[in-house]
Amino acid sequence: MSADHLPEHPDFLWRNPDPKKSYDAIIVGGGGHGLATAYFLAKNHGMTNIAILEKGWLAGGNMARNTTIIRSNYLWDESAAIYEHALKLWEILPEELEYDFLFSQRGVMNLAHTLGDVRESMRRVGANRLNGVDAEWLDPDQVKELCPILNTSDNIRYPVMGATYQPRAGIAKHDHVAWAFARKCDELGVDIIQNCEVTGFIKDGNRVTGVKTSRGNINTEKVGLCAAGHSSVLAEMAGFRLPIQSHPLQALVSELHEPVHPTVVMSNHVHVYVSQAHKGELVMGAGVDSYNGYGQRGSFHVIEEQMAAAVELFPIFARAHVLRTWGGIVDTTLDASPIVGLTPVENMFVNCGWGTGGFKGTPAAGLTFAHTIATGTPHKLNKPFALERFETGALIDEHGAAAVAH
Ligand SMILES: Cc1cc2nc3c(=O)[nH]c(=O)nc-3n(C[C@H](O)[C@H](O)[C@H](O)COP(=O)(O)OP(=O)(O)OC[C@H]3O[C@@H](n4cnc5c(N)ncnc54)[C@H](O)[C@@H]3O)c2cc1C
């Protein structure tokens, strides 16, 4: 069948060129962050002689394995600023990229189950409002009204005592987001090169001048690392260390159901989050598997515990069947915030550490990282997330926000 018959199939949305001998910039990693970075490099900075090198297939990493929650209700000013900027970009991107990736602002609820949760949640709502993020506190009756299938009775292990709610938050279709960026990158002249693993770096003194790949050496003036779970592996190849631990993070979907779940519900305490995808699957996730690893799979007991939590909160799902489970490799930092900026190697830049929550940050990560690569300086939104904070101690501790994969 020809391309004319399947115009929307991803194989026909971009070219598959062979690598050139040299580029002005190379982005390592063909996930959402690499694609968004290349897009903004081309669009905002006129850098079109660039390539994205992906060791597997486009979006085969965390990009098309995540559970697509998009929200900006982070506690600290620095995080609220970058995630809220991302949310504003999500709101205009379908039009800008001319691709409907099913961005659905159906709201996200974070449940509170203890007095400690309630106090922290109310603090967060206050902090969010001061930062211009739409945030509300819901009492249990309001929770029930917004999500009638949620068990808000007093008789469960951890009764729902209220919730924070961000109405503009929601979900999107992750693979379509990747295709949308890829198509625009391609139109702007970016080479997207799949099955091309970066295996080392070529340096002149402390300056990077090229990359070694499974498809030969390529010269370049600048390198941007967007390799998520493999970031520390690449940094080691380049001769520096990143404070990243890579963990498996799992998720699952049920068989298809009629639309029953109107919003996204997250519970740090009972430890699960549940949404319903456009097709009808229930999408569930929880926290990382606690050991380090590079396998895109995890342990069964983690899945079992998150299903038990889901059934406690949503008894209506007790007889739903699991259709499939999978895992990604998430790049976690000790303050649960990303690392974006310069590295000890001249002309090499890093964007990583987004851990369990980087899908929502994709557009702002791309926009600000592109600025950093093009100008060699931080963008005002990514400046607080520089690698130096692990030396200065100026951490941005979002662990409260990241206790559940999101
Ligand atoms: C199960 C799960 C659920 C999640 N849920 C959410 C959520 O609901 N909301 C949210 O905001 N975030 C969520 N996340 C996190 C989010 O997916 C990530 O933070 C984000 O996708 C990371 O950026 P990325 O898309 O560029 O990474 P990736 O898609 O992983 O891209 C990195 C790419 O680099 C490539 N690569 C690695 N090494 C090399 C090399 N040597 N040479 C060439 N290429 C290389 C990899 O193959 C990969 O494709 C979740 C993650 C998982 C795993």
Side-chain angles (χ1 to χ4, degrees), residues 28 198-201 225-227 230-240 348:
V28 184
V198 172
T199 54
F201 296 99
L225 304 179
C226 291
H230 284 86
S231 299
S232 47
V233 177
L234 284 153
E236 197 178 334
M237 287 178 198
F240 66 97
M348 182 177 284

Side-chain angles (χ1 to χ4, degrees), residues 32-33 54-55 62-63 66-67 69 198 356-360 406:
H33 286 233
E54 166 54 50
K55 76 179 165 106
N62 294 337
M63 180 58 177
N66 75 73
T67 45
I69 297 174
V198 172
T356 60
F359 175 68
K360 67 178 72 61
H406 54 304

